[in-house]
Short mmCIF file of all heavy atoms in Angstrom, two decimals:
data_model
loop_
_atom_site.label_atom_id
_atom_site.label_comp_id
_atom_site.label_asym_id
_atom_site.label_seq_id
_atom_site.Cartn_x
_atom_site.Cartn_y
_atom_site.Cartn_z
N ARG A 3 -23.24 -20.89 -71.20
CA ARG A 3 -22.63 -21.73 -72.23
C ARG A 3 -21.60 -22.60 -71.52
O ARG A 3 -21.34 -22.40 -70.34
CB ARG A 3 -21.99 -20.90 -73.35
CG ARG A 3 -20.91 -19.92 -72.92
CD ARG A 3 -20.14 -19.40 -74.10
NE ARG A 3 -19.36 -20.48 -74.67
CZ ARG A 3 -19.16 -20.64 -75.98
NH1 ARG A 3 -19.65 -19.81 -76.84
NH2 ARG A 3 -18.45 -21.65 -76.43
N TRP A 77 -5.65 -27.55 -72.67
CA TRP A 77 -7.01 -27.09 -72.99
C TRP A 77 -7.38 -27.39 -74.43
O TRP A 77 -8.52 -27.69 -74.75
CB TRP A 77 -7.14 -25.58 -72.72
CG TRP A 77 -7.59 -25.29 -71.32
CD1 TRP A 77 -6.85 -25.40 -70.20
CD2 TRP A 77 -8.89 -24.84 -70.91
NE1 TRP A 77 -7.61 -25.05 -69.11
CE2 TRP A 77 -8.85 -24.70 -69.52
CE3 TRP A 77 -10.07 -24.54 -71.59
CZ2 TRP A 77 -9.95 -24.28 -68.78
CZ3 TRP A 77 -11.17 -24.11 -70.86
CH2 TRP A 77 -11.10 -23.99 -69.47
N LYS A 78 -6.39 -27.32 -75.31
CA LYS A 78 -6.69 -27.49 -76.74
C LYS A 78 -7.25 -28.88 -77.06
O LYS A 78 -7.91 -29.06 -78.07
CB LYS A 78 -5.42 -27.26 -77.57
CG LYS A 78 -5.22 -25.82 -77.95
CD LYS A 78 -3.91 -25.60 -78.66
CE LYS A 78 -3.96 -26.01 -80.10
NZ LYS A 78 -4.58 -25.01 -80.97
N SER A 80 -9.65 -30.43 -75.68
CA SER A 80 -11.12 -30.54 -75.64
C SER A 80 -11.84 -29.19 -75.75
O SER A 80 -13.05 -29.14 -75.64
CB SER A 80 -11.52 -31.21 -74.32
OG SER A 80 -10.99 -30.46 -73.26
N SER A 81 -11.06 -28.13 -75.92
CA SER A 81 -11.67 -26.80 -75.84
C SER A 81 -11.17 -25.90 -76.97
O SER A 81 -10.31 -26.29 -77.74
CB SER A 81 -11.30 -26.13 -74.51
OG SER A 81 -11.38 -27.05 -73.48
N VAL A 82 -11.71 -24.70 -76.97
CA VAL A 82 -11.29 -23.71 -77.96
C VAL A 82 -10.48 -22.64 -77.24
O VAL A 82 -10.87 -22.18 -76.16
CB VAL A 82 -12.52 -23.03 -78.59
CG1 VAL A 82 -12.09 -22.07 -79.68
CG2 VAL A 82 -13.47 -24.06 -79.14
N VAL A 83 -9.36 -22.24 -77.83
CA VAL A 83 -8.50 -21.23 -77.22
C VAL A 83 -8.62 -19.93 -78.02
O VAL A 83 -8.31 -19.90 -79.21
CB VAL A 83 -7.04 -21.70 -77.16
CG1 VAL A 83 -6.15 -20.61 -76.58
CG2 VAL A 83 -6.93 -22.98 -76.32
N CYS A 84 -9.12 -18.88 -77.35
CA CYS A 84 -9.29 -17.57 -78.00
C CYS A 84 -8.32 -16.59 -77.38
O CYS A 84 -8.37 -16.34 -76.17
CB CYS A 84 -10.72 -17.05 -77.77
SG CYS A 84 -11.99 -18.05 -78.53
N VAL A 100 -16.48 -19.36 -83.30
CA VAL A 100 -16.15 -20.05 -82.05
C VAL A 100 -17.31 -21.00 -81.70
O VAL A 100 -18.44 -20.54 -81.51
CB VAL A 100 -15.94 -19.04 -80.89
CG1 VAL A 100 -15.66 -19.75 -79.57
CG2 VAL A 100 -14.79 -18.08 -81.24
N PRO A 101 -17.04 -22.31 -81.66
CA PRO A 101 -18.14 -23.26 -81.45
C PRO A 101 -18.84 -23.02 -80.12
O PRO A 101 -18.19 -22.84 -79.09
CB PRO A 101 -17.44 -24.62 -81.44
CG PRO A 101 -16.08 -24.41 -81.97
CD PRO A 101 -15.74 -22.97 -81.78
N LYS A 104 -18.47 -25.88 -77.07
CA LYS A 104 -17.17 -26.25 -76.47
C LYS A 104 -16.76 -25.27 -75.38
O LYS A 104 -17.03 -24.07 -75.49
CB LYS A 104 -16.10 -26.25 -77.55
CG LYS A 104 -16.12 -27.45 -78.43
CD LYS A 104 -14.80 -27.53 -79.18
CE LYS A 104 -14.61 -28.89 -79.80
NZ LYS A 104 -13.33 -28.99 -80.48
N PRO A 105 -16.04 -25.78 -74.34
CA PRO A 105 -15.45 -24.85 -73.37
C PRO A 105 -14.45 -23.92 -74.07
O PRO A 105 -13.90 -24.27 -75.12
CB PRO A 105 -14.72 -25.76 -72.38
CG PRO A 105 -15.30 -27.11 -72.58
CD PRO A 105 -15.74 -27.18 -74.01
N VAL A 106 -14.25 -22.75 -73.47
CA VAL A 106 -13.35 -21.76 -74.08
C VAL A 106 -12.30 -21.32 -73.05
O VAL A 106 -12.64 -21.06 -71.89
CB VAL A 106 -14.15 -20.51 -74.54
CG1 VAL A 106 -13.21 -19.41 -75.04
CG2 VAL A 106 -15.14 -20.88 -75.64
N LEU A 107 -11.06 -21.27 -73.48
CA LEU A 107 -10.00 -20.65 -72.70
C LEU A 107 -9.66 -19.33 -73.38
O LEU A 107 -9.33 -19.30 -74.56
CB LEU A 107 -8.76 -21.55 -72.64
CG LEU A 107 -7.58 -20.98 -71.86
CD1 LEU A 107 -7.90 -20.90 -70.36
CD2 LEU A 107 -6.32 -21.84 -72.06
N VAL A 108 -9.77 -18.23 -72.62
CA VAL A 108 -9.51 -16.90 -73.16
C VAL A 108 -8.14 -16.43 -72.68
O VAL A 108 -7.89 -16.39 -71.47
CB VAL A 108 -10.57 -15.88 -72.67
CG1 VAL A 108 -10.40 -14.55 -73.40
CG2 VAL A 108 -11.99 -16.42 -72.84
N ASP A 124 -6.49 -21.02 -81.12
CA ASP A 124 -7.34 -21.39 -82.26
C ASP A 124 -7.81 -20.13 -82.98
O ASP A 124 -7.97 -20.13 -84.20
CB ASP A 124 -8.56 -22.18 -81.77
CG ASP A 124 -8.14 -23.50 -81.15
OD1 ASP A 124 -7.50 -24.30 -81.86
OD2 ASP A 124 -8.41 -23.72 -79.95
N TYR A 125 -8.06 -19.08 -82.20
CA TYR A 125 -8.52 -17.82 -82.79
C TYR A 125 -7.77 -16.66 -82.13
O TYR A 125 -7.71 -16.59 -80.90
CB TYR A 125 -10.02 -17.61 -82.56
CG TYR A 125 -10.87 -18.71 -83.14
CD1 TYR A 125 -11.31 -19.77 -82.36
CD2 TYR A 125 -11.21 -18.70 -84.51
CE1 TYR A 125 -12.06 -20.79 -82.91
CE2 TYR A 125 -11.96 -19.72 -85.06
CZ TYR A 125 -12.39 -20.77 -84.26
OH TYR A 125 -13.13 -21.78 -84.80
#
Side-chain angles (χ1 to χ4, degrees):
R3 58 167 292 143
W77 270 74
K78 272 175 78 80
S80 56
S81 318
V82 183
V83 177
C84 295
V100 177
K104 282 196 165 182
V106 174
L107 180 67
V108 188
D124 296 301
Y125 301 96

